[in-house]
């Protein structure tokens, strides 16, 4: 059973506009959330994270928002750049458990 | 730093054959993770080690899969016998201190015919 769900598997956005990726989770014990970015033929790379004690974390062009009551988080990329074209994975962990549960990923294509 | 190194990058084998995937973690990292990525199930954790000791292998699909970490700089994931449904990309990742900020290798793309 998929505990972390990423719907809308692909997204196309114009360069300079905002990309918004959504992630829903079912396990209320999750308290730490991460986004990973993956280019073809490479492994995922860590992008940004957020703890459940926060509702927003920002790092440059990337911002993650967490809505605990809705069990929902989103990643905003603004402005989007062609180099952002990749697959983005949402991941979650519960109580310091070393298991990360990943979503299936969202393909983002930024059109120059 | 060379990052996490995996070999081979691609493997094509026939059903029933033994497959061995290899991983060299980042020097100094004390956690090592093996993942499998498929279209149907996404990225799944198979097993992870802490200081070379297997901690959680509940994600290993069945007895055909085994993993070892004989020392801090090397780990193997073995499938014997392999089946077509094992076809996937297998990632190794390492980290310092736990699951946060795992560094992934480039993956091994396995095709079992």
């Amino acid at each position: 059973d998929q505990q972390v769900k990423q719907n809308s598997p692909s997204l196309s956005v114009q360069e300079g506009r905002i990309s918004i990726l959504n992630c829903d989770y079912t396990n209320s014990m999750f308290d730490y959330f991460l986004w990973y970015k993956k280019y073809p033929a490479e492994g995922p790379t860590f992008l940004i994270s957020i703890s459940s004690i926060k509702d927003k974390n920002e790092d440059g062009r990337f911002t993650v928002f967490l809505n605990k009551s809705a069990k929902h988080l989103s990643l905003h990329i603004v402005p989007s750049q062609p180099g952002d074209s990749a697959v983005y994975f949402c991941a979650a962990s519960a109580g310091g458990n070393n298991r990360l549960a990943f979503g299936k990923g969202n393909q983002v294509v930024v059109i120059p | 730093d060379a990052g996490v190194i995996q070999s081979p990058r691609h493997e094509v084998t026939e059903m029933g054959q033994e497959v061995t995937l290899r991983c060299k973690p980042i020097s100094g990292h004390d956690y090592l993770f093996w993942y499998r990525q498929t279209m149907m199930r996404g990225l799944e954790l198979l097993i992870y080690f802490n200081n070379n000791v297997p901690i959680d292998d509940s994600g290993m699909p069945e007895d055909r899969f085994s993993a070892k970490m004989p020392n801090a700089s090397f780990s193997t994931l073995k499938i014997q016998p392999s089946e077509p449904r094992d076809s996937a990309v297998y990632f190794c990742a390492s980290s310092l201190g736990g699951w946060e900020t795992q560094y992934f290798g480039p993956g091994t793309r396995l095709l079992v015919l």
Side-chain angles (χ1 to χ4, degrees):
Chain A
D1 184 30
Q2 203 81 15
Q3 296 187 74
V4 177
K5 299 179 183 178
Q6 294 178 254
N7 297 320
S8 305
S10 65
L11 170 71
S12 290
V13 63
Q14 206 73 31
E15 181 179 2
R17 305 295 291 268
I18 185 170
S19 295
I20 299 176
L21 304 175
N22 294 302
C23 178
D24 296 292
Y25 60 95
T26 57
N27 188 343
S28 57
M29 299 299 291
F30 285 151
D31 59 1
Y32 199 83
F33 306 88
L34 307 91
W35 285 93
Y36 278 79
K37 175 179 178 180
K38 183 185 179 303
Y39 292 120
E42 295 183 12
T45 56
F46 171 75
L47 187 58
I48 193 169
S49 64
I50 188 167
S51 163
S52 61
I53 62 173
K54 291 186 170 184
D55 54 19
K56 177 183 174 181
N57 189 28
E58 190 172 353
D59 183 2
R61 297 183 298 111
F62 302 91
T63 303
V64 56
F65 296 92
L66 175 62
N67 183 334
K68 290 187 289 293
S69 61
K71 294 192 181 69
H72 176 85
L73 62 156
S74 61
L75 174 68
H76 292 209
I77 307 172
V78 55
S80 300
Q81 298 175 354
D84 298 330
S85 297
V87 175
Y88 291 79
F89 291 95
C90 173
S93 179
N97 185 311
N98 284 314
R99 300 186 66 86
L100 278 180
F102 281 85
K104 292 187 179 180
N106 287 126
Q107 173 74 58
V108 172
V109 176
V110 180
I111 304 164
Chain B
D1 193 335
V4 175
I5 299 172
Q6 290 187 247
S7 64
R9 293 293 308 273
H10 303 274
E11 177 82 26
V12 181
T13 190
E14 291 186 346
M15 182 175 63
Q17 296 297 307
E18 177 179 295
V19 174
T20 299
L21 311 181
R22 296 173 176 80
C23 175
K24 177 178 168 56
I26 292 173
S27 176
H29 281 189
D30 57 351
Y31 282 81
L32 184 139
F33 305 81
W34 280 102
Y35 289 89
R36 177 172 69 176
Q37 183 188 14
T38 60
M39 289 293 291
M40 288 295 294
R41 300 177 67 85
L43 204 57
E44 304 173 276
L45 178 66
L46 300 177
I47 184 172
Y48 78 89
F49 296 82
N50 177 219
N51 291 323
N52 314 337
V53 177
I55 302 300
D56 183 351
D57 65 354
S58 60
M60 297 285 262
E62 47 197 276
D63 293 344
R64 297 184 297 106
F65 286 70
S66 63
K68 293 182 180 180
M69 192 165 186
N71 57 63
S73 59
F74 184 66
S75 176
T76 59
L77 178 67
K78 188 174 292 187
I79 308 172
Q80 166 63 19
S82 57
E83 296 182 2
R85 60 193 168 115
D86 302 330
S87 298
V89 182
Y90 291 82
F91 290 102
C92 175
S94 70
S95 70
L96 182 62
W99 44 265
E100 295 182 37
T101 318
Q102 295 176 27
Y103 293 84
F104 282 76
T108 295
R109 185 172 293 275
L110 173 65
L111 178 61
V112 183
L113 301 173

